[in-house]
Coordinates of all heavy atoms in Angstrom, one line a residue:
M28 N 14.4 9.3 3.0 CA 14.3 8.3 2.0 C 12.8 8.1 1.8 O 12.0 8.1 2.7 CB 15.0 7.0 2.4 CG 14.7 5.9 1.4 SD 15.7 4.4 1.5 CE 14.8 3.5 2.8
S29 N 12.4 7.8 0.6 CA 11.0 7.5 0.3 C 11.0 6.3 -0.6 O 12.0 6.0 -1.3 CB 10.2 8.6 -0.4 OG 10.8 9.0 -1.6
V30 N 9.8 5.6 -0.6 CA 9.6 4.4 -1.5 C 8.4 4.6 -2.3 O 7.3 4.9 -1.7 CB 9.5 3.1 -0.6 CG1 9.1 1.9 -1.4 CG2 10.8 2.8 0.2
K31 N 8.5 4.4 -3.6 CA 7.3 4.5 -4.5 C 6.8 3.1 -4.8 O 7.6 2.3 -5.3 CB 7.6 5.4 -5.7 CG 6.4 5.6 -6.6 CD 6.7 6.7 -7.6 CE 5.5 6.9 -8.5 NZ 4.2 7.1 -8.0
I32 N 5.5 2.9 -4.6 CA 4.9 1.6 -5.0 C 3.6 2.0 -5.7 O 2.7 2.5 -5.0 CB 4.6 0.7 -3.7 CG1 5.9 0.4 -3.0 CG2 3.9 -0.5 -4.2 CD1 5.7 -0.4 -1.7
G33 N 3.5 1.7 -6.9 CA 2.4 2.1 -7.7 C 2.1 3.6 -7.6 O 3.0 4.4 -7.7
P34 N 0.9 4.0 -7.3 CA 0.6 5.4 -7.2 C 1.0 6.0 -5.9 O 0.8 7.2 -5.7 CB -1.0 5.4 -7.4 CG -1.4 4.1 -6.8 CD -0.3 3.1 -7.2
Y35 N 1.5 5.2 -4.9 CA 1.8 5.7 -3.6 C 3.3 6.0 -3.4 O 4.1 5.2 -3.8 CB 1.4 4.7 -2.6 CG -0.1 4.3 -2.6 CD1 -0.4 3.1 -3.3 CD2 -1.0 5.1 -2.1 CE1 -1.8 2.7 -3.3 CE2 -2.4 4.8 -2.2 CZ -2.7 3.6 -2.8 OH -4.0 3.2 -2.9
T36 N 3.6 7.1 -2.8 CA 4.9 7.4 -2.4 C 5.0 7.5 -0.8 O 4.3 8.3 -0.2 CB 5.4 8.8 -2.9 OG1 5.4 8.7 -4.3 CG2 6.8 9.1 -2.5
F37 N 5.7 6.5 -0.3 CA 5.7 6.4 1.2 C 7.0 7.2 1.7 O 8.1 6.9 1.3 CB 5.9 4.9 1.6 CG 4.7 4.1 1.2 CD1 4.6 3.4 0.0 CD2 3.5 4.1 2.0 CE1 3.5 2.7 -0.4 CE2 2.4 3.3 1.7 CZ 2.4 2.6 0.5
D38 N 6.7 8.2 2.5 CA 7.8 9.0 3.0 C 8.4 8.5 4.3 O 9.5 8.9 4.7 CB 7.4 10.5 3.1 CG 6.2 10.7 3.9 OD1 5.7 9.8 4.5 OD2 5.7 11.9 3.9
G39 N 7.7 7.6 5.0 CA 8.2 7.0 6.2 C 8.6 5.6 5.9 O 7.7 4.8 5.4
V40 N 9.8 5.2 6.1 CA 10.3 3.8 5.8 C 11.1 3.3 7.0 O 12.1 3.9 7.4 CB 11.2 3.8 4.5 CG1 11.7 2.4 4.2 CG2 10.4 4.5 3.3
T41 N 10.6 2.2 7.6 CA 11.3 1.6 8.7 C 11.4 0.1 8.5 O 10.3 -0.5 8.2 CB 10.6 1.9 10.0 OG1 10.5 3.3 10.2 CG2 11.4 1.3 11.2
Y42 N 12.5 -0.5 8.6 CA 12.7 -1.9 8.4 C 13.2 -2.5 9.7 O 14.3 -2.1 10.2 CB 13.6 -2.2 7.2 CG 13.8 -3.7 7.0 CD1 12.8 -4.5 6.7 CD2 15.1 -4.3 7.2 CE1 12.9 -5.9 6.5 CE2 15.2 -5.7 7.1 CZ 14.2 -6.4 6.7 OH 14.3 -7.8 6.6
D43 N 12.5 -3.5 10.2 CA 12.9 -4.2 11.4 C 13.6 -5.5 10.9 O 12.9 -6.5 10.5 CB 11.8 -4.5 12.3 CG 12.1 -5.3 13.5 OD1 13.1 -6.0 13.6 OD2 11.3 -5.2 14.5
A44 N 14.9 -5.5 10.8 CA 15.6 -6.7 10.2 C 15.4 -8.0 11.0 O 15.3 -9.0 10.5 CB 17.1 -6.4 10.1
E45 N 15.4 -7.8 12.4 CA 15.2 -9.0 13.2 C 13.9 -9.7 13.0 O 13.8 -10.9 12.9 CB 15.4 -8.6 14.7 CG 15.4 -9.8 15.6 CD 15.6 -9.3 17.1 OE1 16.4 -8.4 17.3 OE2 15.0 -9.9 18.0
A46 N 12.8 -8.9 12.8 CA 11.5 -9.5 12.6 C 11.2 -9.6 11.1 O 10.2 -10.2 10.8 CB 10.5 -8.6 13.3
D47 N 12.0 -9.0 10.2 CA 11.8 -9.0 8.8 C 10.4 -8.3 8.5 O 9.6 -8.9 7.8 CB 11.9 -10.3 8.2 CG 11.9 -10.3 6.6 OD1 12.2 -9.2 6.1 OD2 11.6 -11.3 6.0
V48 N 10.2 -7.1 9.0 CA 9.0 -6.4 8.8 C 9.3 -5.0 8.3 O 10.1 -4.3 8.8 CB 8.1 -6.3 10.1 CG1 6.9 -5.4 9.9 CG2 7.8 -7.6 10.7
L49 N 8.7 -4.7 7.2 CA 8.8 -3.4 6.6 C 7.6 -2.5 6.8 O 6.5 -2.9 6.5 CB 9.1 -3.5 5.0 CG 9.3 -2.3 4.2 CD1 10.5 -1.5 4.7 CD2 9.4 -2.6 2.7
Y50 N 7.8 -1.4 7.4 CA 6.8 -0.4 7.8 C 6.9 0.8 6.8 O 7.9 1.4 6.8 CB 6.9 0.1 9.2 CG 6.8 -1.0 10.2 CD1 8.0 -1.5 10.7 CD2 5.6 -1.5 10.7 CE1 8.0 -2.5 11.7 CE2 5.6 -2.5 11.7 CZ 6.8 -3.0 12.2 OH 6.7 -4.0 13.1
L51 N 5.9 1.1 6.0 CA 5.8 2.2 5.1 C 4.7 3.1 5.5 O 3.6 2.6 5.8 CB 5.7 1.7 3.7 CG 6.7 0.7 3.2 CD1 6.3 0.1 1.8 CD2 8.1 1.4 3.1
S52 N 4.9 4.4 5.4 CA 3.8 5.3 5.8 C 3.8 6.5 4.9 O 4.9 6.9 4.3 CB 4.0 5.8 7.2 OG 5.2 6.5 7.4
V53 N 2.7 7.1 4.7 CA 2.5 8.4 4.0 C 2.0 9.4 5.1 O 0.9 9.3 5.6 CB 1.4 8.2 2.9 CG1 1.1 9.5 2.2 CG2 1.7 7.1 1.9
G54 N 2.8 10.3 5.4 CA 2.5 11.3 6.4 C 2.4 10.6 7.8 O 3.2 9.7 8.1
D55 N 1.4 11.1 8.6 CA 1.3 10.7 10.0 C 0.3 9.5 10.1 O -0.9 9.6 9.9 CB 0.8 11.9 10.7 CG 0.7 11.7 12.2 OD1 1.1 10.6 12.7 OD2 0.1 12.5 12.9
T56 N 0.9 8.3 10.5 CA 0.1 7.2 10.6 C -0.8 7.2 11.9 O -1.7 6.4 12.0 CB 0.9 5.9 10.7 OG1 1.9 6.0 11.7 CG2 1.6 5.6 9.3
A57 N -0.6 8.2 12.7 CA -1.4 8.4 13.9 C -2.8 8.8 13.5 O -3.8 8.7 14.3 CB -0.8 9.4 14.9
K58 N -3.0 9.3 12.2 CA -4.3 9.7 11.7 C -5.1 8.5 11.2 O -6.2 8.6 10.7 CB -4.1 10.7 10.6 CG -3.5 12.0 11.1 CD -3.4 13.0 10.0 CE -2.8 14.3 10.5 NZ -2.7 15.3 9.5
A59 N -4.5 7.3 11.3 CA -5.2 6.1 10.8 C -6.5 5.8 11.7 O -6.4 5.9 12.9 CB -4.3 4.9 10.9
V60 N -7.6 5.6 11.0 CA -8.8 5.3 11.7 C -9.5 4.0 11.3 O -10.5 3.6 11.8 CB -9.9 6.5 11.6 CG1 -9.3 7.8 12.2 CG2 -10.2 6.7 10.1
D61 N -8.9 3.4 10.2 CA -9.5 2.2 9.7 C -8.3 1.3 9.2 O -7.3 1.8 8.8 CB -10.4 2.5 8.5 CG -11.3 1.3 8.1 OD1 -11.4 0.4 8.9 OD2 -11.8 1.4 6.9
W62 N -8.5 0.0 9.3 CA -7.5 -0.9 9.0 C -8.1 -2.0 8.1 O -9.2 -2.4 8.2 CB -6.8 -1.5 10.2 CG -6.1 -0.4 11.0 CD1 -4.8 -0.1 10.9 CD2 -6.7 0.5 11.9 NE1 -4.5 1.0 11.7 CE2 -5.6 1.3 12.4 CE3 -8.0 0.7 12.4 CZ2 -5.8 2.3 13.3 CZ3 -8.2 1.7 13.4 CH2 -7.1 2.5 13.8
D63 N -7.2 -2.6 7.3 CA -7.6 -3.7 6.4 C -6.4 -4.5 6.1 O -5.3 -4.2 6.6 CB -8.3 -3.2 5.2 CG -9.2 -4.2 4.5 OD1 -9.3 -5.4 4.9 OD2 -9.9 -3.8 3.6
E64 N -6.5 -5.5 5.2 CA -5.4 -6.2 4.8 C -5.5 -6.5 3.3 O -6.7 -6.6 2.8 CB -5.1 -7.4 5.6 CG -6.1 -8.5 5.5 CD -5.7 -9.8 6.3 OE1 -5.3 -9.6 7.5 OE2 -5.8 -10.9 5.8
T65 N -4.4 -6.7 2.6 CA -4.4 -7.1 1.2 C -4.8 -8.5 1.1 O -4.8 -9.2 2.1 CB -3.1 -6.8 0.5 OG1 -2.1 -7.8 1.1 CG2 -2.6 -5.4 0.7
P66 N -5.1 -9.0 -0.1 CA -5.4 -10.4 -0.2 C -4.2 -11.3 0.2 O -4.4 -12.5 0.5 CB -5.7 -10.6 -1.7 CG -6.2 -9.3 -2.2 CD -5.4 -8.3 -1.3
D67 N -3.0 -10.7 0.2 CA -1.8 -11.5 0.6 C -1.5 -11.4 2.0 O -0.5 -11.9 2.5 CB -0.6 -11.0 -0.2 CG -0.8 -11.2 -1.7 OD1 -1.3 -12.2 -2.1 OD2 -0.4 -10.3 -2.5
G68 N -2.3 -10.6 2.8 CA -2.2 -10.5 4.2 C -1.3 -9.4 4.7 O -1.0 -9.3 5.9
H69 N -1.0 -8.4 3.8 CA -0.2 -7.2 4.3 C -1.2 -6.3 4.9 O -2.3 -6.1 4.5 CB 0.5 -6.6 3.1 CG 1.4 -7.6 2.4 ND1 2.4 -8.3 2.9 CD2 1.3 -8.0 1.1 CE1 3.0 -9.0 2.0 NE2 2.3 -8.9 0.9
A70 N -0.7 -5.6 6.0 CA -1.6 -4.7 6.7 C -1.7 -3.3 6.1 O -0.7 -2.7 5.6 CB -1.1 -4.5 8.1
L71 N -2.9 -2.8 6.0 CA -3.1 -1.4 5.4 C -3.8 -0.6 6.5 O -4.6 -1.0 7.2 CB -4.1 -1.5 4.2 CG -3.7 -2.4 3.1 CD1 -4.8 -2.6 2.1 CD2 -2.4 -1.9 2.4
S72 N -3.4 0.7 6.5 CA -4.1 1.6 7.4 C -4.6 2.9 6.6 O -3.8 3.3 5.7 CB -3.3 2.0 8.6 OG -2.0 2.5 8.2
F73 N -5.7 3.4 7.0 CA -6.3 4.5 6.2 C -6.7 5.6 7.1 O -7.1 5.4 8.3 CB -7.6 4.0 5.5 CG -7.4 2.9 4.5 CD1 -7.4 1.5 5.0 CD2 -7.0 3.1 3.2 CE1 -7.2 0.5 4.1 CE2 -6.8 2.1 2.3 CZ -6.9 0.7 2.8
D74 N -6.7 6.9 6.6 CA -7.1 8.0 7.4 C -8.7 8.1 7.3 O -9.3 7.3 6.6 CB -6.4 9.3 6.9 CG -6.7 9.8 5.5 OD1 -7.7 9.3 4.9 OD2 -6.0 10.7 5.0
E75 N -9.2 9.2 7.9 CA -10.6 9.4 7.9 C -11.3 9.6 6.5 O -12.5 9.5 6.4 CB -11.0 10.6 8.8 CG -10.5 11.9 8.3 CD -10.7 13.0 9.3 OE1 -10.9 12.8 10.5 OE2 -10.7 14.2 8.8
H76 N -10.5 9.9 5.6 CA -11.0 10.1 4.2 C -10.8 8.9 3.3 O -11.1 9.0 2.1 CB -10.3 11.3 3.6 CG -10.4 12.6 4.3 ND1 -11.6 13.3 4.5 CD2 -9.5 13.3 5.1 CE1 -11.4 14.3 5.2 NE2 -10.1 14.4 5.6
G77 N -10.3 7.8 3.9 CA -10.1 6.6 3.1 C -8.8 6.6 2.4 O -8.5 5.7 1.6
N78 N -7.9 7.5 2.7 CA -6.6 7.5 2.0 C -5.6 6.6 2.7 O -5.6 6.5 3.9 CB -6.0 8.9 2.1 CG -6.8 9.9 1.3 OD1 -7.2 9.7 0.2 ND2 -7.1 11.1 2.0
L79 N -4.9 5.8 2.0 CA -3.9 4.9 2.5 C -2.8 5.7 3.2 O -2.2 6.6 2.6 CB -3.3 4.1 1.4 CG -2.2 3.0 1.8 CD1 -2.9 1.9 2.6 CD2 -1.5 2.4 0.6
V80 N -2.5 5.4 4.5 CA -1.5 6.1 5.2 C -0.4 5.2 5.7 O 0.6 5.6 6.2 CB -2.0 7.0 6.4 CG1 -2.9 8.1 5.9 CG2 -2.8 6.1 7.4
G81 N -0.7 3.9 5.6 CA 0.3 2.9 6.1 C 0.2 1.5 5.4 O -0.9 1.1 5.1
L82 N 1.4 0.9 5.3 CA 1.5 -0.4 4.7 C 2.5 -1.2 5.5 O 3.6 -0.7 5.7 CB 1.9 -0.4 3.2 CG 2.3 -1.7 2.6 CD1 1.1 -2.7 2.5 CD2 2.8 -1.4 1.1
T83 N 2.2 -2.3 6.0 CA 3.1 -3.2 6.8 C 3.3 -4.5 6.0 O 2.3 -5.2 5.8 CB 2.6 -3.4 8.2 OG1 2.4 -2.1 8.9 CG2 3.6 -4.2 9.0
I84 N 4.5 -4.8 5.7 CA 4.8 -6.0 5.0 C 5.6 -7.0 5.9 O 6.8 -6.7 6.2 CB 5.6 -5.8 3.7 CG1 4.8 -4.8 2.8 CG2 5.9 -7.1 2.9 CD1 5.5 -4.4 1.5
V85 N 5.0 -8.0 6.4 CA 5.6 -9.0 7.2 C 6.4 -10.0 6.4 O 5.8 -10.5 5.4 CB 4.6 -9.7 8.1 CG1 5.3 -10.7 9.0 CG2 3.9 -8.7 9.0
G86 N 7.6 -10.3 6.7 CA 8.4 -11.2 5.9 C 8.9 -10.6 4.6 O 9.1 -11.3 3.6
A87 N 9.1 -9.2 4.6 CA 9.4 -8.5 3.4 C 10.6 -9.0 2.6 O 10.5 -9.3 1.4 CB 9.6 -7.0 3.7
R88 N 11.7 -9.2 3.3 CA 13.0 -9.6 2.7 C 12.8 -11.1 2.1 O 13.1 -11.4 1.0 CB 14.2 -9.6 3.6 CG 15.5 -10.0 2.9 CD 16.6 -9.9 3.8 NE 16.9 -8.6 4.3 CZ 17.7 -7.7 3.8 NH1 18.2 -8.0 2.6 NH2 17.8 -6.5 4.3
Q89 N 12.2 -11.9 3.0 CA 11.9 -13.3 2.5 C 11.0 -13.3 1.3 O 11.3 -14.1 0.4 CB 11.3 -14.1 3.7 CG 11.0 -15.5 3.3 CD 10.4 -16.3 4.4 OE1 10.3 -15.8 5.6 NE2 9.9 -17.5 4.1
L90 N 10.0 -12.5 1.3 CA 9.1 -12.5 0.2 C 9.8 -12.1 -1.1 O 9.5 -12.6 -2.2 CB 7.9 -11.6 0.5 CG 6.9 -12.1 1.5 CD1 5.9 -11.0 1.9 CD2 6.1 -13.4 1.0
V91 N 10.6 -11.0 -1.0 CA 11.3 -10.5 -2.2 C 12.3 -11.6 -2.7 O 12.4 -11.8 -3.9 CB 12.0 -9.2 -1.9 CG1 13.0 -8.8 -3.0 CG2 11.0 -8.1 -1.7
E92 N 13.0 -12.2 -1.8 CA 13.9 -13.3 -2.2 C 13.2 -14.5 -2.8 O 13.7 -15.0 -3.8 CB 14.8 -13.7 -1.0 CG 15.7 -12.7 -0.5 CD 16.4 -13.0 0.8 OE1 16.1 -14.1 1.4 OE2 17.3 -12.3 1.2
E93 N 12.1 -14.9 -2.3 CA 11.3 -16.0 -2.9 C 10.7 -15.6 -4.2 O 10.5 -16.5 -5.0 CB 10.2 -16.4 -1.9 CG 10.7 -17.1 -0.7 CD 9.6 -17.3 0.4 OE1 8.4 -16.9 0.1 OE2 9.9 -17.9 1.4
A94 N 10.5 -14.4 -4.5 CA 9.9 -13.9 -5.7 C 10.9 -13.5 -6.7 O 10.6 -12.7 -7.6 CB 8.9 -12.8 -5.4
D95 N 12.2 -13.9 -6.5 CA 13.3 -13.6 -7.4 C 13.4 -12.1 -7.6 O 13.7 -11.6 -8.7 CB 13.1 -14.2 -8.8 CG 13.2 -15.8 -8.8 OD1 14.0 -16.3 -8.0 OD2 12.4 -16.4 -9.5
G96 N 13.3 -11.4 -6.5 CA 13.6 -9.9 -6.5 C 12.5 -9.0 -6.8 O 12.6 -7.8 -6.9
E97 N 11.3 -9.6 -7.1 CA 10.1 -8.7 -7.4 C 8.9 -9.2 -6.7 O 8.4 -10.3 -6.9 CB 9.9 -8.8 -8.9 CG 8.8 -7.8 -9.4 CD 8.7 -7.7 -10.9 OE1 9.7 -7.2 -11.5 OE2 7.7 -8.2 -11.4
L98 N 8.4 -8.3 -5.9 CA 7.2 -8.6 -5.1 C 6.0 -7.9 -5.7 O 6.0 -6.7 -6.0 CB 7.4 -8.1 -3.6 CG 6.3 -8.3 -2.6 CD1 6.0 -9.8 -2.5 CD2 6.7 -7.7 -1.3
T99 N 4.9 -8.6 -5.9 CA 3.6 -8.0 -6.4 C 2.7 -7.8 -5.2 O 2.4 -8.7 -4.4 CB 3.0 -9.0 -7.4 OG1 3.9 -9.2 -8.5 CG2 1.7 -8.4 -7.9
L100 N 2.2 -6.6 -5.1 CA 1.3 -6.2 -4.0 C 0.0 -5.8 -4.6 O -0.1 -5.1 -5.6 CB 1.8 -5.0 -3.2 CG 3.2 -5.3 -2.5 CD1 3.7 -4.0 -1.9 CD2 3.1 -6.3 -1.4
D101 N -1.1 -6.2 -4.0 CA -2.5 -5.8 -4.3 C -2.9 -4.6 -3.4 O -3.3 -4.9 -2.3 CB -3.5 -6.9 -4.2 CG -3.3 -8.0 -5.2 OD1 -3.0 -7.7 -6.4 OD2 -3.3 -9.2 -4.9
L102 N -2.7 -3.4 -3.9 CA -3.0 -2.2 -3.1 C -4.2 -1.6 -3.6 O -4.5 -1.6 -4.8 CB -1.8 -1.2 -3.1 CG -0.5 -1.8 -2.5 CD1 0.6 -0.7 -2.7 CD2 -0.7 -2.2 -1.1
P103 N -5.0 -0.9 -2.8 CA -6.2 -0.2 -3.2 C -5.8 1.0 -4.2 O -4.8 1.7 -3.9 CB -6.8 0.4 -2.0 CG -5.7 0.4 -1.0 CD -4.7 -0.7 -1.3
V104 N -6.5 1.1 -5.3 CA -6.3 2.1 -6.2 C -7.6 2.8 -6.4 O -8.7 2.2 -6.7 CB -5.8 1.6 -7.6 CG1 -5.7 2.7 -8.6 CG2 -4.5 0.9 -7.4
R105 N -7.6 4.2 -6.2 CA -8.9 4.9 -6.4 C -9.0 5.3 -7.9 O -8.1 5.7 -8.5 CB -8.8 6.2 -5.6 CG -9.0 6.0 -4.1 CD -9.1 7.3 -3.4 NE -9.4 7.0 -2.0 CZ -9.9 7.9 -1.2 NH1 -10.2 9.1 -1.7 NH2 -10.1 7.6 0.0
V106 N -10.2 5.2 -8.3 CA -10.6 5.7 -9.7 C -11.8 6.6 -9.6 O -12.8 6.2 -9.0 CB -10.9 4.4 -10.6 CG1 -11.3 4.9 -12.0 CG2 -9.8 3.5 -10.6
S107 N -11.7 7.8 -10.0 CA -12.8 8.7 -9.9 C -13.7 8.5 -11.1 O -13.4 7.9 -12.1 CB -12.3 10.2 -10.0 OG -11.8 10.5 -11.3
S108 N -15.0 9.0 -10.9 CA -15.9 8.8 -12.0 C -15.5 9.6 -13.2 O -15.8 9.2 -14.3 CB -17.3 9.3 -11.5 OG -17.3 10.6 -11.1
A109 N -14.8 10.7 -13.0 CA -14.3 11.5 -14.2 C -13.3 10.7 -15.0 O -13.3 10.8 -16.2 CB -13.6 12.8 -13.7
D110 N -12.5 9.8 -14.4 CA -11.6 9.0 -15.1 C -12.3 7.9 -15.9 O -11.8 7.4 -16.9 CB -10.7 8.2 -14.1 CG -9.7 9.2 -13.4 OD1 -9.4 10.3 -13.9 OD2 -9.2 8.8 -12.3
L111 N -13.5 7.6 -15.5 CA -14.3 6.5 -16.2 C -15.3 7.0 -17.2 O -15.9 6.3 -17.9 CB -15.0 5.6 -15.2 CG -14.0 4.9 -14.2 CD1 -14.8 4.1 -13.2 CD2 -13.1 3.9 -15.0
Q112 N -15.6 8.3 -17.2 CA -16.7 8.9 -18.0 C -16.5 8.5 -19.5 O -17.4 8.2 -20.2 CB -16.8 10.4 -17.9 CG -17.4 10.8 -16.5 CD -18.7 10.2 -16.3 OE1 -19.6 10.1 -17.2 NE2 -19.0 9.9 -15.0
H113 N -15.2 8.6 -20.0 CA -15.0 8.2 -21.4 C -15.4 6.8 -21.7 O -16.0 6.5 -22.7 CB -13.5 8.4 -21.7 CG -13.2 8.1 -23.1 ND1 -13.6 8.8 -24.2 CD2 -12.5 7.0 -23.6 CE1 -13.2 8.2 -25.3 NE2 -12.5 7.1 -25.0
S114 N -15.1 5.9 -20.7 CA -15.5 4.5 -20.9 C -17.0 4.3 -21.0 O -17.5 3.6 -21.8 CB -14.9 3.7 -19.8 OG -13.5 3.7 -19.8
F115 N -17.7 5.1 -20.1 CA -19.2 5.0 -20.1 C -19.7 5.5 -21.5 O -20.7 5.0 -22.0 CB -19.8 5.8 -19.0 CG -19.3 5.4 -17.6 CD1 -19.3 6.3 -16.6 CD2 -19.0 4.1 -17.4 CE1 -18.9 5.9 -15.3 CE2 -18.6 3.6 -16.1 CZ -18.5 4.6 -15.1
A116 N -19.1 6.5 -22.0 CA -19.6 7.1 -23.3 C -19.4 6.1 -24.5 O -20.1 6.2 -25.4 CB -18.8 8.4 -23.6
L117 N -18.5 5.2 -24.4 CA -18.2 4.2 -25.4 C -19.4 3.3 -25.7 O -19.6 2.9 -26.8 CB -17.0 3.4 -25.2 CG -15.7 4.2 -25.1 CD1 -14.5 3.2 -24.7 CD2 -15.4 4.8 -26.5
S118 N -20.2 3.1 -24.7 CA -21.3 2.1 -24.8 C -22.6 2.8 -25.2 O -23.6 2.2 -25.5 CB -21.5 1.4 -23.5 OG -21.9 2.3 -22.5
A119 N -22.6 4.1 -25.3 CA -23.8 4.9 -25.7 C -24.1 4.9 -27.1 O -23.3 4.6 -28.0 CB -23.6 6.3 -25.2

């Protein structure tokens, strides 16, 4: 099973019902070398290239229920300079 959230497809999905914690991963989370958190306090882990490899949502079921079935997450999104070149050209 996989879970798609925004541009990320998490192929590792584990839910601890007793603790209400959802663990999502992309590939091998053992490759994580850096950690951070979202503005909402969800844990993020990144590989050596800065790619997101893990997301931990504490209180996942409770958060979804409180949000009427829809949870908004602030996840890092990469934008390359090539994607922005057209925008830069508009001001020229």
